[in-house]
Amino acid sequence: MGEGLATGYAMQDEGRLAPYAAHAARSRGRRHPEAAAPTRTDFQRDRDRIIHSTAFRRLVYKTQVFLNHEGDLFRTRLTHSLEVAQLGRSIARPLGLNEDLVEAIALAHDLGHTPFGHAGQDALNACMREAGRRAGVAEEDAPGFEHNLQSLRVVDRLEERYPAFDGLNLTFETREGILKHCSRRTARYLEQVDGTGVARRFLEGGSPTLEAQLCNLADEIAYNAHDIDDGVRSGLLSWSQIQEVPLVGHYRAQALEAHPGLDGRRLLFETIRLMLSEQVYDVIDQTRSRLADHGIVDVEQVRQAGPLVVFSDGMRQSSAELKQFLFRNLYRHPQVLDTASKAQRIVRELFDAYLAQPSEWPAPPEGARPRRVADYIAGMTDRFAIREHERLYGTVLFP
């Protein structure tokens, strides 16, 4: 009976999707073969495994821009991932794409992120490269740290939930979407040790599924919008600054035209809502146009066609201007930089302490010690990293 249910579920999946979508029944499979689930497609199963993973739960206490202790309402890596998934599904459905695969990729794309956001990643990357140099590894070959690759490492190796394999044993398509950036050096390494071809496109050219492309763009849409909200909530950005950005100013004017006298947070929320909606519609229209222009009828053509899920030229320019504004005025704000400097100090000093004294961390496994230390630190939440640093060094950086 289970096999019949699984077949029926796969057929439902086939019937509602466009021919160029990723169909679960045609997946390239898992690293370790498993029987189909009776009531879920393989991509739904991936999503469920991600949601139940330890790494996913930790995202609630990992920094997006503002540290968790700076306020209860700022975005975290978890709420960001949920917003990416919501935006992704909103775009996927009218295009006939696989919403389950979009959701799985969106929820998993930041599983490998360090505590303290990009500041933590940069510090851990520098620590790993320095460890490689000390070990006599050439600069171009020194193993660094990159959160996309770490996310893949989490789902392939680091999660320990199943008796038959390490990791979550996700489908090729979900893993491919998680690995949205990859250097050629890293891609060559993955080709040698992985065997599934998950990084091959970074060596041979080509594109991932439309669902993976969509998640990449939904990530950008989400963080631009919620960083405006968080920036204003924090007091680091003001309305007078933000309304000078053409994209924001345009939708602020629309909001006031529809609702004269609107002000405060309601005006901010309505401006962001209008901006998000228009960006979603823009991506849908442009993607439909590109699919038609290229005559795309299946996934293999998607892989050969180059980027297909894109903004229009005008929206891409407007989005780039917003990103530049946020970089100058929020991400490089003195208060944010001061927090980032302290966070990087914590990561560097934790790395040094654990590398010098393995007894300071619980049950360090055998193997390449710097990489294992990086795995351990990358898995920390902000507050755990802060507590560990205080324990080891007796210094309170974030009272």
Side-chain angles (χ1 to χ4, degrees):
M1 183 172 70
E3 184 177 346
L5 280 172
T7 301
Y9 223 73
M11 291 304 294
Q12 291 179 28
D13 188 47
E14 293 282 325
R16 66 183 174 81
L17 297 177
Y20 43 71
H23 293 240
R26 304 174 202 168
S27 169
R28 295 189 183 183
R30 305 180 186 277
R31 300 171 80 202
H32 307 280
E34 296 183 63
T39 59
R40 295 173 295 169
T41 69
D42 280 347
F43 298 150
Q44 290 171 335
R45 202 176 188 184
D46 282 358
R47 175 204 58 207
D48 296 347
R49 290 181 175 187
I50 291 160
I51 288 173
H52 289 285
S53 69
T54 302
F56 184 74
R57 292 195 299 277
R58 287 174 177 152
L59 295 180
V60 72
Y61 293 118
K62 290 196 176 189
T63 292
Q64 181 64 29
V65 174
F66 297 95
L67 265 64
N68 183 253
H69 78 278
E70 294 181 279
D72 292 340
L73 298 180
F74 293 125
R75 267 66 171 197
T76 66
R77 287 286 159 187
L78 179 62
T79 56
H80 166 68
S81 297
L82 293 173
E83 291 182 24
V84 174
Q86 181 269 320
L87 283 168
R89 294 192 72 138
S90 296
I91 297 170
R93 181 168 295 186
L95 291 173
L97 300 183
N98 197 310
E99 294 178 55
D100 299 322
L101 177 57
V102 167
E103 189 173 27
I105 295 170
L107 294 177
H109 83 282
D110 270 351
L111 291 181
H113 231 301
T114 61
F116 313 121
H118 287 282
Q121 173 183 265
D122 293 345
L124 199 50
N125 181 49
C127 288
M128 286 295 293
R129 291 196 174 279
E130 177 59 29
R133 286 192 289 270
R134 287 199 300 264
V137 179
E139 175 69 27
E140 63 272 17
D141 295 324
F145 180 92
E146 206 285 322
H147 82 269
N148 287 130
L149 182 61
Q150 188 70 12
S151 295
L152 186 65
R153 184 170 168 81
V154 167
V155 301
D156 281 356
R157 297 186 59 181
L158 299 183
E159 282 288 326
E160 297 179 338
R161 305 186 66 83
Y162 300 97
F165 47 77
D166 291 333
L168 303 180
N169 198 31
L170 304 182
T171 61
F172 174 89
E173 290 77 11
T174 300
R175 297 171 62 241
E176 177 187 49
I178 291 171
L179 192 66
K180 66 179 184 179
H181 303 299
C182 186
S183 68
R184 289 185 64 84
R185 178 182 62 81
T186 300
R188 287 193 295 269
Y189 169 76
L190 286 174
E191 279 293 287
Q192 293 172 358
V193 302
D194 179 69
T196 66
V198 72
R200 191 166 299 154
R201 72 184 190 275
F202 298 103
L203 298 174
E204 300 177 355
S207 299
T209 62
L210 292 169
E211 289 80 2
Q213 296 180 43
L214 170 52
C215 286
N216 197 9
L217 195 53
D219 185 26
E220 175 183 332
I221 295 171
Y223 68 65
N224 278 345
H226 62 52
D227 288 355
I228 292 173
D229 185 12
D230 283 353
V232 172
R233 184 183 298 278
S234 71
L236 302 188
L237 297 179
S238 68
W239 254 120
S240 59
Q241 285 178 290
I242 295 174
Q243 67 187 25
E244 297 302 318
V245 181
L247 188 65
V248 179
H250 173 73
Y251 294 108
R252 177 180 180 275
Q254 278 194 14
L256 288 172
E257 182 179 356
H259 306 280
L262 194 66
D263 61 5
R265 295 202 64 78
R266 289 178 187 267
L267 177 57
L268 175 65
F269 292 151
E270 182 65 7
T271 299
I272 292 174
R273 185 188 69 80
L274 291 171
M275 184 179 73
L276 283 172
S277 295
E278 193 59 36
Q279 288 182 310
V280 166
Y281 303 148
D282 183 90
V283 173
I284 292 169
D285 290 343
Q286 288 301 307
T287 303
R288 282 176 172 159
S289 177
R290 286 206 169 211
L291 290 168
D293 290 345
H294 286 79
I296 302 297
V297 297
D298 60 36
V299 174
E300 291 312 309
Q301 287 182 319
V302 169
R303 294 185 178 281
Q304 300 301 319
L308 294 167
V309 183
V310 295
F311 282 135
S312 65
D313 289 344
M315 186 62 78
R316 182 173 62 250
Q317 177 62 32
S318 295
S319 179
E321 291 170 352
L322 175 56
K323 288 168 67 174
Q324 291 164 8
F325 168 84
L326 289 170
F327 181 83
R328 292 192 306 269
N329 296 282
L330 182 60
Y331 310 142
R332 306 299 295 175
H333 189 283
Q335 182 174 318
V336 174
L337 290 177
D338 179 64
T339 298
S341 177
K342 293 176 182 177
Q344 290 182 327
R345 176 181 168 184
I346 287 175
V347 171
R348 288 194 305 269
E349 292 184 350
L350 285 178
F351 189 91
D352 290 343
Y354 293 140
L355 200 58
Q357 297 177 296
S359 61
E360 291 293 350
W361 58 306
E366 297 179 0
R369 192 182 297 166
R371 180 60 63 186
R372 295 296 190 180
V373 171
D375 288 339
Y376 185 49
I377 294 174
M380 292 180 176
T381 61
D382 293 2
R383 60 184 186 177
F384 182 73
I386 290 169
R387 286 201 306 267
E388 276 291 276
H389 185 266
E390 291 176 1
R391 179 181 71 83
L392 290 169
Y393 288 94
T395 303
V396 179
L397 296 180
F398 294 110

